[in-house]
Amino acid sequence: MDLTSTSGGGDPRQIEETKPLLGGDVPAPEGTKMGAVPCRRALLLCNGMRYKLLQEGDIQVCVIRHPRTFLSKILTSKFLRRWEPHHLTLADNSLASATPTGYMENSVSYSAIEDVQLLSWENAPKYCLQLTIPGGTVLLQAANSYLRDQWFHSLQWKKKIYKYKKVLSNPSRWEVVLKEIRTLVDMALTSPLQDDSINQAPLEIVSKLLSENTNLTTQEHENIIVAIAPLLENNHPPPDLCEFFCKHCRERPRSMVVIEVFTPVVQRILKHNMDFGKCPRLRLFTQEYILALNELNAGMEVVKKFIQSMHGPTGHCPHPRVLPNLVAVCLAAIYSCYEEFINSRDNSPSLKEIRNGCQQPCDRKPTLPLRLLHPSPDLVSQEATLSEARLKSVVVASSEIHVEVEPASTAKPALTASVGNDSEPNLIDCLMVSPACSTMSIELGPQADRTLGCYVEILKLLSDYDDWRPSLASLLQPIPFPKEALAHEKFTKELKYVIQRFAEDPRQEVHSCLLSVRAGKDGWFQLYSPGGVACDDDGELFASMVHILMGSCYKTKKFLLSLAENKLGPCMLLALRGNQTMVEILCLMLEYNIIDNNDTQLQIISTLESTGVGKRMYEQLCDRQRELKELQRKGGPTRLTLPSKSTDADLARLLSSGSFGNLENLSLAFTNVTSACAEHLIKLPSLKQLNLWSTQFGDAGLRLLSEHLTMLQVLNLCETPVTDAGLLALSSMKSLCSLNMNSTKLSADTYEDLKAKLPNLKEVDVRYTEAW
């Protein structure tokens, strides 16, 4: 019904249908009269007033049933005296009363409301609102003009949104649909209502439209995105629309829509408080947007500029939520890279299983050989353990046992060992893998590999900002990555840059995050230390971390005790190679009486005296503690264990540093020594036990030992490259009582010859040889 017309005839529905769906109110022409007495409509002027969208409220209601020709007479009569108070609710499709009686016994559908207008006339109640319905009029009387205008705009909005839902629920021509969407967006932007739902309602309508029509062309996709872009500048897209945006980022990453439309949307998401747990699709959209940037020609340069734009040009980012939101997106993206691997089994494998070669059931590889390393191996006990522990499965429970993975041999079964019980080891116990050996390969798909590279690079970029680094270190301190990622060599190698940045930062709140978040839990310090799965630099990063930690508030006995218990071998090896930080650490261990064992103290002293800087610092220490000199005068240690990865040069430097006349037990297991070190070994007259397990010690060195170390009683040659040519020379070592030739090239004839010529030989291990 068009109340702006005179009281003449005409089809009111036809007049309504000729209006645009979102056409503005058409004011009554000047001089138009409704009946004998003039009745004018109050024009709504754009005065900049803003209103809250009403969902419900109290108002006076009067309903008049009349034919159209008598409307003006009725409105000017004294009939309008009976008003009913009602609490009205503006639902999605109708106007209803909380007490459905009287005038509002039945709800008024928005589709039945032909027009909504403000009314005022002479000698009439103030602040009236007129709703034109078929066969009558509904009058609403508010308490003041502001409340009346608020009801007016809210009813107009509800009515138009209801119509748009119906019009766009069954689209036929997409060019018309696109035009309607643009008009809908304009309506939301120009509405005097100020409410989150004003912009969200059109987005939800478009979101539903897209979800129900999946056969749109790419151009139609882009047109719709551009049409709703103005609404996205100040509003988050609803979940279904996020999925649509994600799809567009994946299918058309080079589209200009990604840069021009999505960029401000993602920037707004990252700058605001965001609970991604409740809004996971917003996080996924941000993730896909960044990946789309990475697919551009400039690749990571575009991503870097985006990160710079989020930080801002100043030294301090003005948006405190940007960093945690970016980190949350990175963590989720990195997790998704390993999700397929995690879900490839019914039960997610432990780190131990991952490291030991657990694959999908269809392509599981043979069990990899494992070697057990102990910080201070006892040769005799190792021989006994080895004779009992060639099993097919591995259980690692002790925190002092390191698991090292080797390439599987095609000629021999897997060499394994069992210690402890079946309890699940902690994180770093499972990851203590020597980087010299080949680690298990976690193969990611091409897309997952690109995603991983992109988001690890983002973490690197975040660590370059000084103001972000403390918060980033705190967020990463609990190691919030899946265990599959920590077992992936590529990931830990790339993340090393971030850890290095933490280690170089002089601020305590940054480098203290390298340590575990609480007692009993491993941190980045353990993960990237020698023996940790992430260590690939022979301890350079480890030395850097120790240096910065000891240089601040960590020069305490507790920290030194931790190093002595878990990292004494790496500390000694780096000190042997001249690292000043490690030399200082060893001196402090002696000064604070951290080491109780005399042999270990003597070994530390020999390590210090093997380098110029160590010798100088040790002499300064001796000037303060005379008892150390007394300890050294007793003739040196009786037991000595070289750290893993020690070389011939390291052994030579150590043995030349002092007296080793009392040395009886020497372990070179799992080091990089070769036959060249035999020239130094033969200068140890008291040597009775020698462990060469898994070294490159060969026949030439074995022949030299057999000529000089005639008093040797225990010899371990397990997994060394010795052959019959060198093993035959052992026949001259009559004192041998224990000989381990496991996994060597020993032949049956040579074994029989050795048994005949070595009368004192009681314990022999020849498994995985021809003599077995």
Side-chain angles (χ1 to χ4, degrees):
M1 177 180 295
D2 187 3
L3 294 180
T4 63
S5 64
T6 61
S7 57
D11 188 352
R13 289 184 173 82
Q14 186 176 359
I15 297 175
E16 176 68 23
E17 289 175 358
T18 60
K19 296 180 181 179
L21 182 57
L22 290 178
D25 294 327
V26 182
E30 293 186 8
T32 301
K33 297 182 180 180
M34 301 181 68
V37 181
C39 177
R40 60 184 175 83
R41 176 185 306 174
L43 300 179
L44 178 66
L45 300 178
C46 183
N47 55 5
M49 190 73 74
R50 291 291 180 264
Y51 307 92
K52 181 77 173 177
L53 177 65
L54 280 175
Q55 301 296 339
E56 58 182 337
D58 295 319
I59 198 166
Q60 298 288 325
V61 180
C62 181
V63 177
I64 305 170
R65 303 294 178 182
H66 60 83
R68 185 184 297 271
T69 56
F70 292 99
L71 176 59
S72 61
K73 292 182 179 181
I74 294 175
L75 290 178
T76 57
S77 69
K78 295 183 179 180
F79 183 77
L80 300 175
R81 293 178 180 176
R82 180 172 171 246
W83 293 87
E84 293 180 356
H86 282 274
H87 186 84
L88 300 184
T89 300
L90 286 79
D92 291 336
N93 52 9
S94 64
L95 181 65
S97 173
T99 55
T101 58
Y103 290 143
M104 296 300 298
E105 183 176 0
N106 298 316
S107 61
V108 180
S109 173
Y110 296 137
S111 60
I113 299 176
E114 299 174 353
D115 195 11
V116 180
Q117 59 180 313
L118 301 176
L119 280 182
S120 65
W121 63 92
E122 296 177 2
N123 302 321
K126 294 182 179 181
Y127 318 127
C128 278
L129 197 63
Q130 175 183 327
L131 280 62
T132 303
I133 60 175
T137 299
V138 177
L139 298 178
L140 305 179
Q141 182 181 2
N144 53 60
S145 61
Y146 181 87
L147 187 58
R148 177 201 61 188
D149 293 344
Q150 188 177 15
W151 274 95
F152 172 78
H153 291 298
S154 298
L155 279 168
Q156 285 277 39
W157 174 262
K158 289 286 186 178
K159 179 177 179 293
K160 291 175 180 178
I161 286 295
Y162 176 74
K163 286 186 178 180
Y164 266 109
K165 287 181 179 179
K166 294 185 65 176
V167 169
L168 296 179
S169 63
N170 188 20
S172 56
R173 296 172 56 193
W174 280 101
E175 58 272 15
V176 177
V177 169
L178 184 61
K179 183 178 180 180
E180 295 290 353
I181 290 176
R182 288 171 180 161
T183 312
L184 174 62
V185 171
D186 290 340
M187 181 192 76
L189 294 176
T190 57
S191 173
L193 294 172
Q194 191 172 25
D195 193 273
D196 292 339
S197 62
I198 297 302
N199 291 319
Q200 284 296 324
L203 290 176
E204 290 174 359
I205 291 175
V206 175
S207 177
K208 183 178 180 181
L209 175 69
L210 293 172
S211 64
E212 294 176 352
N213 298 271
T214 58
N215 57 345
L216 299 180
T217 64
T218 302
Q219 190 58 46
E220 290 169 340
H221 279 186
E222 294 194 358
N223 290 339
I224 293 175
I225 294 174
V226 172
I228 63 176
L231 291 179
L232 297 173
E233 293 181 2
N234 297 312
N235 298 274
H236 298 317
D240 291 339
L241 202 57
C242 283
E243 288 192 0
F244 173 71
F245 288 171
C246 290
K247 181 180 179 183
H248 191 82
C249 288
R250 287 191 294 266
E251 295 180 354
R252 297 204 64 191
R254 298 174 183 268
S255 169
M256 289 306 297
V257 169
V258 174
I259 299 294
E260 296 178 355
V261 180
F262 290 167
T263 297
V265 180
V266 174
Q267 287 177 336
R268 187 179 187 278
I269 292 172
L270 294 176
K271 288 179 181 178
H272 288 73
N273 288 328
M274 190 58 56
D275 186 354
F276 284 131
K278 296 181 179 179
C279 309
R281 294 181 184 177
L282 286 178
R283 180 177 59 196
L284 182 61
F285 167 51
T286 306
Q287 174 183 332
E288 294 292 346
Y289 164 79
I290 294 176
L291 291 176
L293 294 184
N294 193 41
E295 292 295 326
L296 300 178
N297 292 336
M300 283 307 302
E301 286 300 317
V302 182
V303 176
K304 184 176 181 179
K305 290 181 180 178
F306 174 74
I307 299 297
Q308 290 174 345
S309 70
M310 297 306 304
H311 180 275
T314 61
H316 293 275
C317 179
H319 307 288
R321 291 303 307 170
V322 167
L323 177 66
N325 285 338
L326 273 174
V327 172
V329 171
C330 289
L331 295 180
I334 291 172
Y335 181 87
S336 69
C337 296
Y338 300 95
E339 196 166 10
E340 182 178 355
F341 186 84
I342 294 171
N343 297 334
S344 62
R345 303 177 64 210
D346 292 336
N347 297 316
S348 180
S350 65
L351 274 174
K352 177 183 65 179
E353 292 174 315
I354 294 173
R355 266 311 195 191
N356 292 352
C358 177
Q359 297 283 349
Q360 298 185 24
C362 59
D363 60 348
R364 186 171 298 175
K365 298 178 181 179
T367 307
L368 300 179
L370 297 179
R371 306 180 303 183
L372 296 181
L373 296 114
H374 196 280
S376 179
D378 185 304
L379 296 181
V380 177
S381 62
Q382 281 186 352
E383 295 292 328
T385 302
L386 185 64
S387 65
E388 301 171 357
R390 299 291 186 181
L391 305 177
K392 296 295 181 183
S393 62
V394 170
V395 179
V396 180
S398 171
S399 60
E400 297 182 348
I401 300 257
H402 301 178
V403 180
E404 186 168 341
V405 183
E406 292 185 324
S409 173
T410 56
K412 309 184 187 94
L415 174 63
T416 60
S418 176
V419 270
N421 51 40
D422 291 341
S423 63
E424 179 71 9
N426 62 33
L427 175 65
I428 302 302
D429 290 338
C430 300
L431 293 178
M432 299 294 280
V433 182
S434 171
C437 301
S438 64
T439 58
M440 176 198 163
S441 177
I442 297 181
E443 296 294 337
L444 301 179
Q447 180 59 36
D449 196 61
R450 287 194 297 270
T451 301
L452 179 66
C454 175
Y455 281 96
V456 174
E457 195 67 29
I458 289 177
L459 290 177
K460 292 182 182 179
L461 294 174
L462 298 180
S463 67
D464 286 334
Y465 290 95
D466 290 339
D467 59 319
W468 276 353
R469 202 175 299 131
S471 297
L472 178 63
S474 178
L475 290 170
L476 297 186
Q477 184 178 15
I479 313 184
F481 298 103
K483 52 193 175 184
E484 289 76 11
L486 299 176
H488 190 196
E489 182 180 4
K490 178 180 179 180
F491 171 75
T492 53
K493 185 175 182 180
E494 292 295 324
L495 196 66
K496 179 182 175 182
Y497 178 86
V498 179
I499 306 305
Q500 181 74 51
R501 297 293 286 162
F502 294 163
E504 294 171 351
D505 198 297
R507 291 171 291 185
Q508 179 185 340
E509 65 266 28
V510 177
H511 58 246
S512 64
C513 293
L514 295 170
L515 299 174
S516 59
V517 69
R518 62 179 181 270
K521 182 177 175 63
D522 297 302
W524 294 113
F525 178 77
Q526 288 81 10
L527 192 64
Y528 277 89
S529 61
V533 66
C535 182
D536 60 354
D537 56 4
D538 290 337
E540 293 180 8
L541 178 57
F542 170 69
S544 177
M545 290 190 289
V546 171
H547 175 74
I548 192 67
L549 291 172
M550 289 295 296
S552 56
C553 63
Y554 296 99
K555 190 180 290 187
T556 63
K557 192 171 184 179
K558 181 178 180 181
F559 184 67
L560 292 173
L561 278 170
S562 175
L563 288 177
E565 292 175 359
N566 303 307
K567 301 298 175 186
L568 182 58
C571 289
M572 292 178 63
L573 179 58
L574 292 172
L576 193 61
R577 294 176 177 176
N579 186 282
Q580 185 169 348
T581 299
M582 294 306 159
V583 170
E584 294 175 359
I585 292 294
L586 295 183
C587 287
L588 287 172
M589 288 181 180
L590 293 176
E591 185 173 3
Y592 293 166
N593 295 319
I594 301 297
I595 308 298
D596 295 331
N597 185 276
N598 286 348
D599 283 337
T600 304
Q601 290 183 13
L602 290 171
Q603 184 173 346
I604 291 176
I605 293 171
S606 300
T607 301
L608 292 173
E609 292 190 331
S610 63
T611 61
V613 60
K615 189 173 183 179
R616 183 177 66 256
M617 295 184 69
Y618 176 65
E619 289 175 353
Q620 295 174 356
L621 177 61
C622 287
D623 292 340
R624 299 191 299 268
Q625 295 187 348
R626 291 295 166 188
E627 59 270 17
L628 290 176
K629 285 189 175 182
E630 294 298 325
L631 178 66
Q632 193 174 6
R633 288 196 186 101
K634 296 179 180 179
T638 59
R639 300 170 61 88
L640 183 62
T641 300
L642 251 67
S644 177
K645 295 187 181 181
S646 298
T647 62
D648 293 332
D650 297 328
L651 177 63
R653 194 180 300 113
L654 180 63
L655 294 180
S656 62
S657 63
S659 173
F660 288 90
N662 293 340
L663 187 62
E664 297 180 354
N665 186 325
L666 175 62
S667 175
L668 303 177
F670 313 114
T671 62
N672 297 329
V673 298
T674 65
S675 295
C677 73
E679 297 180 359
H680 305 284
L681 298 179
I682 61 178
K683 299 176 183 178
L684 302 173
S686 302
L687 193 62
K688 296 180 181 180
Q689 301 176 4
L690 178 61
N691 187 353
L692 296 169
W693 190 1
S694 190
T695 63
Q696 295 302 311
F697 198 88
D699 293 338
L702 206 56
R703 284 191 288 267
L704 192 59
L705 293 183
S706 64
E707 295 176 5
H708 296 83
L709 299 181
T710 56
M711 302 300 294
L712 201 64
Q713 298 177 2
V714 178
L715 179 61
N716 189 341
L717 299 173
C718 179
E719 297 181 12
T720 56
V722 295
T723 64
D724 288 345
L727 292 171
L728 283 173
L730 297 179
S731 59
S732 61
M733 304 177 74
K734 305 299 183 181
S735 299
L736 277 178
C737 58
S738 177
L739 180 60
N740 188 336
M741 296 175 287
N742 187 314
S743 302
T744 63
K745 296 180 180 180
L746 172 71
S747 66
D749 293 339
T750 300
Y751 175 53
E752 294 297 330
D753 187 61
L754 288 175
K755 286 197 300 183
K757 295 181 179 180
L758 298 174
N760 296 324
L761 198 60
K762 299 178 181 178
E763 297 180 0
V764 185
D765 189 347
V766 294
R767 283 171 295 177
Y768 310 108
T769 66
E770 293 182 5
W772 188 31

